[in-house]
Amino acid sequence: MQFHDLAAQYQALKKDIDAGIADVLSKGHFILGEQVTELENKLAADVGRKHCVCCANGTDALELALMMWGIGEGDAVFTADFTYFASAGTASRIGAELIPVDIDLDTFNICPDALEKAIERVEKEGRFKPAVVVAVDLFGQPAQYERIEAIAKAHGMRVLEDGAQGYGGQIGSRHACSFGDAATTSFFPAKPLGCYGDGGAVFVGSDEEDALLRSLRANGRGVQDKYDNQRIGMNSRLDTLQAAILLPKLKALREYEIDAVNAAAQKYTEALKDVVKTPVVLPGYVSSWAQYTVLLDSREQRDRVQQELKAQGIPTMVYYPRGVHEQTAYADRHFPDEWYPNTIEATNRVLALPMHPYLTDEDIQTVVTALKKAL
């Protein structure tokens, strides 16, 4: 059994993926070829944003967005404490002050109440200016943008949607990557929309931001003269082969994969709701189920169950074993544990089960039976 069955997805999309790769090889336009432009246009239309600028990976996408806004020394950037390190590390890389924020234990996303308290602490201290909230769509469910955007507006801040795990999710009729002042996503293979290598994208709403991002992703090059570097940027481009792979994957995601993962999640939840704490999807929200994560009673129980499932050939993962505030890179900041009770609780109890659009009913039953027996 596979945790994310990329081989099954490839077999389902093999004809179109192979044809796309062959087209790139025959034309020889390997960097920023026509498929990259086509993908950018389709992604922008898909999420309902004016522009999409593709880049080399999701981490670069976050950094490019912050660079676009001129975020740096003296600015405070707030993000969820329970997330992949890139959501935090990109702020530190450009010289900003990173402030982790505790999560809601039901959704695993940043807690609006904890966010407001964190902003007020920084304002009271007076050393840094609250500048950006990087709201993460963890495990596929969009963050609570109505509240987050209201809090940010009240404090004169921007909101950056980190949709690395959220592509394909929704709040009402609005798609993930349409929230905040800008949004990013990742095309890492295991993501809801993933390529066969690294890739990422930034979504913005103005022509000026689009032009600036295209300059920043190409070492700050000018529009008229590519050898006139007008600003300091980075070298971060999505190669054409990855774009050709993503085009049929985007089509499949919208045609049936989102429905398939939601059906699988519902079957898991029905079978496990009386056994473990199952994931909560808020009313009116749709998750793209980058992960299906349950909460067990304790770290000891979680670790024992994980080993028992492994012995039966059932893969599971722990996302994440520690919060951002516990990372060695931030040890000198001395973020107190009492600010992050829900993150600490999650790191001790989370267990992610196999989840992908090609999961069969037999697979689900095997996992459910083994989990119940282990418990």
Side-chain angles (χ1 to χ4, degrees):
M1 185 182 298
Q2 299 296 314
F3 189 74
H4 292 295
D5 200 339
L6 298 176
Q9 184 191 48
Y10 172 62
Q11 290 303 317
L13 304 177
K14 186 178 188 308
K15 180 180 178 182
D16 290 337
I17 289 175
D18 287 357
I21 291 172
D23 187 50
V24 175
L25 294 177
S26 66
K27 291 176 179 175
H29 299 156
F30 298 112
I31 301 295
L32 297 181
E34 62 191 56
Q35 287 89 344
V36 175
T37 301
E38 181 184 357
L39 178 67
E40 289 176 336
N41 291 336
K42 287 187 173 179
L43 288 169
D46 184 61
V47 306
R49 209 123 203 183
K50 188 172 185 180
H51 294 290
C52 171
V53 179
C54 288
C55 59
N57 54 68
T59 303
D60 283 1
L62 289 165
E63 190 168 343
L64 283 164
L66 295 175
M67 290 171 66
M68 172 184 71
W69 288 332
I71 303 302
E73 188 174 350
D75 293 321
V77 175
F78 300 76
T79 195
D81 189 45
F82 187 65
T83 185
Y84 182 61
F85 187 74
S87 306
T90 46
S92 300
R93 274 175 52 86
I94 59 174
E97 182 71 6
L98 188 279
I99 308 294
V101 180
D102 202 19
I103 60 164
D104 179 309
L105 199 55
D106 282 337
T107 66
F108 303 111
N109 281 329
I110 193 168
C111 172
D113 292 336
L115 172 63
E116 194 147 33
K117 289 178 183 177
I119 294 170
E120 289 170 355
R121 280 197 300 265
V122 171
E123 288 177 333
K124 184 177 180 180
E125 188 179 66
R127 294 175 57 215
F128 303 100
K129 176 188 174 184
V132 179
V133 180
V134 178
V136 182
D137 301 340
L138 202 73
F139 301 156
Q141 180 170 198
Q144 296 181 56
Y145 286 101
E146 185 175 0
R147 288 198 62 196
I148 292 167
E149 289 174 355
I151 292 168
K153 184 178 181 181
H155 292 272
M157 302 169 65
R158 289 186 170 99
V159 175
L160 176 61
E161 178 186 1
D162 180 351
Q165 298 181 28
Y167 200 98
Q170 289 180 228
I171 304 176
S173 61
R174 287 186 62 180
H175 292 283
C177 294
S178 72
F179 299 101
D181 299 283
T184 67
T185 196
S186 167
F187 302 129
F188 183 79
K191 296 296 192 287
L193 180 61
C195 58
Y196 291 161
D198 272 318
V202 186
F203 298 85
V204 293
S206 74
D207 295 345
E208 293 76 16
E209 290 172 317
D210 176 67
L212 180 54
L213 283 170
R214 293 181 189 281
S215 171
L216 287 169
R217 78 172 177 185
N219 288 309
R221 64 186 285 180
V223 176
Q224 303 300 327
D225 182 354
K226 69 178 182 178
Y227 294 112
D228 176 21
N229 293 79
Q230 299 175 348
R231 54 189 59 85
I232 303 300
M234 64 171 71
N235 181 26
S236 183
R237 301 168 299 198
L238 180 70
D239 74 70
T240 313
L241 282 169
Q242 301 303 337
I245 290 162
L246 285 164
L247 285 165
K249 285 196 172 195
L250 175 61
K251 185 171 183 285
L253 181 86
R254 288 303 178 199
E255 286 186 350
Y256 66 86
E257 286 188 348
I258 293 297
D259 289 341
V261 290
N262 274 277
Q266 183 61 33
K267 290 169 184 173
Y268 266 142
T269 298
E270 282 297 316
L272 295 173
K273 62 184 179 182
D274 297 324
V275 180
V276 294
K277 188 179 188 305
T278 53
V280 174
V281 178
L282 297 175
Y285 283 58
V286 174
S287 178
S288 55
W289 296 105
Q291 312 293 345
Y292 185 91
T293 300
V294 299
L295 284 170
L296 301 187
D297 290 342
S298 65
R299 179 185 290 267
E300 293 74 22
Q301 185 192 56
R302 189 267 310 281
D303 293 349
R304 176 183 60 78
V305 167
Q306 186 174 35
Q307 288 304 311
E308 290 189 21
L309 294 182
K310 181 180 179 180
Q312 298 178 57
I314 299 173
T316 59
M317 295 292 290
V318 175
Y319 299 110
Y320 297 93
R322 62 185 56 82
V324 170
H325 83 280
E326 298 173 292
Q327 298 289 346
T328 301
Y330 293 122
D332 62 339
R333 289 299 322 281
H334 306 295
F335 295 112
D337 283 351
E338 55 262 33
W339 288 355
Y340 308 103
N342 289 340
T343 291
I344 292 170
E345 187 80 3
T347 60
N348 285 327
R349 297 172 56 196
V350 291
L351 187 67
L353 306 179
M355 172 56 78
H356 54 82
Y358 303 89
L359 204 62
T360 66
D361 288 349
E362 182 181 358
D363 290 333
I364 294 170
Q365 188 58 52
T366 297
V367 174
V368 166
T369 301
L371 180 57
K372 287 182 175 179
K373 183 178 180 181
L375 289 168

